[in-house]
Amino acid sequence: MTKRQNPNPEFDLFIPLMGDLPLKDQRETMERPFFSLQKRKRVKPIEYSSPDGETWVKIEAIPAYGMATIWDADILIWAASTLNRMREQGVNDLPRTLRTTSYDLLRAIKRDTSGRAYQELQAALQRLQTTSISTSIRAPKRRTKAGFNWLDKWTLEVDPDTDQPRGMTITLSDWVYEGIMGERSLLTMHQDYFLLTGGLERALYRIARKHAGNQKGGWTCRVEVLRDKTGSDSKPKEFNRMLRKVVEADQLPDYAMHMAATVDGSPAVLFRLRGEAEALALTAKLEAEQERRNRFDADRRRAAEVDDLMDKLAGER
């Protein structure tokens, strides 16, 4: 970890070395549809309500920019991870405004650093600032609402001589900042999360990480509930097709996926830690091999008994 020189005395920022920053994300946002799963502009609102009606989320976009996407959320993950590391190092007065460089941020979230990547970074910042969220999460009473944007403001500095991007700042909204600062509010994510290319895969990983965690036996979720939790605007038939494709590819970090069914026969997906799934598969393979050996040994004993009986009969003759 190295401390960057900062001309702004309002805050200090530590930029972690590449690969040295455990990824952290907010529990509250991982299991609910806060982001668009598509890279094309989405202006259709996302409206989600939990089965008991206690928790609801509504996401709205400005048509000029569209809704913040699940790839844009990588910037928030970087911010949560950075602030968490600073807290672990004993930094006091953790800031809502973080300063870095466009290059460092893009590298940290495993993006290329081409000219187009810098343009996409600016578009992502615009969507994070303009997407409007209202929710009952953290509300002390059912009818209480909270409204916010992901970012309050941002800046991108450009070298006046070369016109190349230099420093940048992002200022988290109070709601996001308070969520990061809360006790036990963050979950560790696999470093390969940033390498997932599909929006649905990313949403499924976040949901699995929140619900399946490390629990023995995994976690089973109805397909219709998964569709609600991801915020997908695909028709049920199309969502089922895409979901099966993800299950067949089986590329999620940490978790293996299997199509399953609930007690009442509803289609579902089982998420299970890969180590446990592999151990169970190995156990099943060993048990099958032992069963084959047992049958072979039993057949050999029966054959020997028959041979002994035939020899005995032949001697009696």
Side-chain angles (χ1 to χ4, degrees), residues 63-250:
Y65 299 113
M67 185 179 297
T69 72
I70 201 164
W71 293 273
D72 300 340
D74 292 353
I75 297 172
L76 302 178
I77 294 173
W78 172 84
S81 305
T82 300
L83 287 170
N84 183 71
R85 171 59 65 86
M86 293 168 68
R87 177 167 51 188
E88 290 177 344
Q89 293 185 331
V91 177
N92 295 322
D93 300 324
L94 296 177
R96 276 202 305 128
T97 298
L98 300 175
R99 175 179 291 273
T100 183
T101 68
S102 305
Y103 177 85
D104 288 334
L105 178 55
L106 289 171
R107 289 290 303 276
I109 60 178
K110 292 182 168 54
R111 307 282 179 87
D112 66 57
T113 53
S114 64
R116 180 171 181 176
Y118 289 108
Q119 294 174 356
E120 291 176 347
L121 175 59
Q122 179 171 329
L125 294 170
Q126 290 172 329
R127 288 189 291 268
L128 289 170
Q129 185 185 14
T130 58
T131 296
S132 175
I133 305 100
S134 54
T135 180
S136 63
I137 295 175
R138 300 187 209 157
K141 297 180 181 179
R142 183 172 179 178
R143 299 185 65 180
T144 303
K145 302 178 181 180
F148 60 95
N149 305 93
W150 298 113
L151 300 180
D152 277 358
K153 61 182 179 180
W154 55 271
T155 65
L156 281 176
E157 300 171 9
V158 178
D159 189 296
D161 297 324
T162 64
D163 203 33
Q164 295 297 311
R166 293 196 307 188
M168 62 174 289
T169 66
I170 60 172
T171 301
L172 303 173
S173 68
D174 285 338
W175 194 92
V176 174
Y177 179 79
E178 290 168 3
I180 294 173
M181 292 296 101
E183 185 177 358
R184 297 176 60 84
S185 64
L186 302 178
L187 281 176
T188 302
M189 301 175 69
H190 196 284
Q191 289 287 338
D192 289 346
Y193 169 78
F194 287 147
L195 301 180
L196 291 174
T197 58
L200 180 57
E201 289 93 329
R202 284 172 164 245
L204 290 172
Y205 173 80
R206 288 158 61 92
I207 293 168
R209 181 67 187 89
K210 171 61 172 63
H211 286 288
N214 298 322
Q215 63 178 293
K216 186 176 180 179
W219 174 68
T220 300
C221 184
R222 296 172 185 264
V223 170
E224 60 182 308
V225 174
L226 278 179
R227 180 171 176 267
D228 289 340
K229 283 182 171 293
T230 63
S232 173
D233 61 351
S234 299
K235 299 294 183 182
K237 184 176 181 180
E238 175 63 11
F239 179 81
N240 291 347
R241 184 193 68 79
M242 294 189 299
L243 179 62
R244 287 185 177 277
K245 189 174 180 180
V246 174
V247 172
E248 290 170 3
D250 194 25

Side-chain angles (χ1 to χ4, degrees), residues 279-314:
L280 290 173
L282 178 59
T283 299
K285 181 179 180 180
L286 293 175
E287 290 177 348
E289 179 64 19
Q290 186 61 49
E291 179 64 23
R292 186 189 69 79
R293 291 177 180 175
N294 291 342
R295 288 198 302 269
F296 177 78
D297 291 342
D299 291 342
R300 187 170 59 181
R301 287 194 299 270
R302 284 194 294 270
E305 291 171 358
V306 171
D307 290 343
D308 290 343
L309 180 59
M310 295 299 292
D311 292 343
K312 183 178 180 179
L313 292 176

